Amino acid sequence: MDKHWWKEAVVYQIYPRSFMDSDGDGIGDLNGITQRLPYLRELGIDVIWLSPVYQSPNDDNGYDISDYRAIMADFGTMEDFDRMLARAHELGLRIVMDLVVNHTSDEHRWFVESRKGKDSPYRDWYIWRPGKPDGSAPNNWGSAFSGSAWKYDEATDEWFLHLFSPKQPDLNWDNPKVRDAVFDMMDWWCQKGIDGFRMDVISLISKPEGLPDGVPGETGYAPSGCANGPHVHEYLQEMNRRVLSRYDLITVGEASGVTLEEAAKYANAQGTELNMVFQFEHVGEGAGIPGRFGKWDAPKMPLPMWKAILSKWQVGLQDRAWNSLYLSNHDQPRCLSKFGDDSEEYRVLSAKMLGTCTHMMQGTPYVYQGEELGMTNAYFDDVSDYRDIESINAYNDLTKNHGVPHDEMMGYLKRISRDNARTPMQWDGSANAGFTTGTPWIRVNPNYTSINAEAELGDPDSVFSYYQKLIRLRHENDIVVYGDYELLLPDDEDLFVYRRTLDDRQLVVICNFSRKTLQRPEALKAAIPEDAEVFIGNYAEDDRENVRPWEAVVYEIRNSEFGIRN
Ligand code: GLC
């Protein structure tokens, strides 16, 4: 397998609005990030992925960009950006920009021009269509943020496509001028010295020929046929030729609706497109069990199904492409609340267990801000505490149009809302968790008095210290990065056990996804020779007979006595 620095790196995602506020306006900013770079150095990560910091009217918190070459005033100035980048580089940290080019803001100059008339030179930069003869939208596609994916524009009696909010019109990638403009802009950032791109919903950029109706009655972009559309690989190869291949970058595509076969193309080992993609099956999209209301009421996946999905990706991309490893980001609830146990008793154990399960796999791990502290869902009780456009629209749509009672909907938001992960970073036990001296743009999770960076930094048993160790082990051991993966005990309903193998070394990773104390199955005991050593674990004492509540333990086995094969 080819070695690359980006395979050996650990990426940390910053959601700038909620990371650190340096000027007391209640909104995180670039100078705040610069202040906290030593914290990230201390954690040991290699790369920072910044959620969008470009100029934006903030309809979708920066994922609606009105100028790709300017910094959002809330976050600071281009000088602040340059200083942050330089300081990060001094500390050996690389910076990845969020590239949001499936759509722009409706306030972007290109769209403002496009909207002016059918003969505007920018008309064809977006996707405009006349309505159907009965006056309805050009097709039945739904927006990911509720309602139709089309907005009618009186000025020209046409509709424009927006797979997300109406303030996020989709660019027309079939127009070569759009591609030229995007590639120029990317080149401009590369010249500045940034180190890579995370590409927002990049799998959606190529729309199906003729824009046919999607699956009737279904909403969201998935049934529209936009995912992995007809020219997406062609366009990414062009991007790779014209920009990416000319720099030493890390690239990851957010690939909604991606399948294993498609991922093997996006992230192909020949390097003609991207380094890796984010797939969504294990967080519930696609292969998950759908609910009546999409993700909002989808039931939790049984562990055997979850293991099968992750294992399919591990084995399926081996030697062909490269995986990204993540449980959290700014679009997901806190992973600890979703997959672990955020009760007082098991929070720390289960946070470490989830970290182990993820970081011991093959791929590049992504840590979402606060995950390394074991931050939990915010569980806001009041709908007015929510800020996220997706949550607010879903609340309005489901309670008004689908008869979902208020209390039931609040339950969905508490479990699934993206705002759970967007509350301010918990730095210390002082007012507003040390995030701001002003009023935070979104409420701080009240548990900051006990869960915060200051409390964890010096504590050898903290989640933070454990993440430091996970990251160090990856940096020091090729087997963690490159070892082959094999699932053991596939049907076990509580234990996730897998093996990594590289040359004459093995790791056996055991994770208990329950509060139960379980006797080790014979097959598991047999996989671990007596002289195997504990590589990392979340209990102080080794117990070869049992797997304890939310336990994670990894054994290192050297030489050829590899125990049984299953
Ligand atoms: C991606 C982003 C999400 C955003 C959407 C539209 O999924 O991660 O936050 O709302 O794209 O840009």
Side-chain angles (χ1 to χ4, degrees), residues 174-188:
D174 295 333
N175 181 346
K177 291 197 180 120
V178 167
R179 304 203 295 279
D180 287 348
V182 169
F183 300 157
D184 268 3
M185 175 271 287
M186 291 173 70
D187 201 69
W188 186 84

Side-chain angles (χ1 to χ4, degrees), residues 60 63 103 145 164 198 200-201 254 330-331 418 422:
D60 184 20
Y63 283 91
H103 44 267
F145 295 159
F164 295 88
R198 173 269 185 187
D200 193 63
V201 290
E254 190 204 19
H330 65 294
D331 293 328
R418 307 195 294 184
R422 297 179 178 185

Side-chain angles (χ1 to χ4, degrees), residues 315-349:
V315 175
L317 294 191
Q318 163 96 30
D319 297 328
R320 302 164 73 196
W322 190 249
N323 276 294
S324 62
L325 308 171
Y326 77 97
L327 297 181
S328 316
N329 61 38
H330 65 294
D331 293 328
Q332 300 290 328
R334 287 278 169 193
C335 64
L336 176 59
S337 300
K338 180 164 175 173
F339 300 108
D341 185 335
D342 60 13
S343 67
E344 209 175 315
E345 192 175 359
Y346 294 120
R347 184 185 67 85
V348 170
L349 276 174

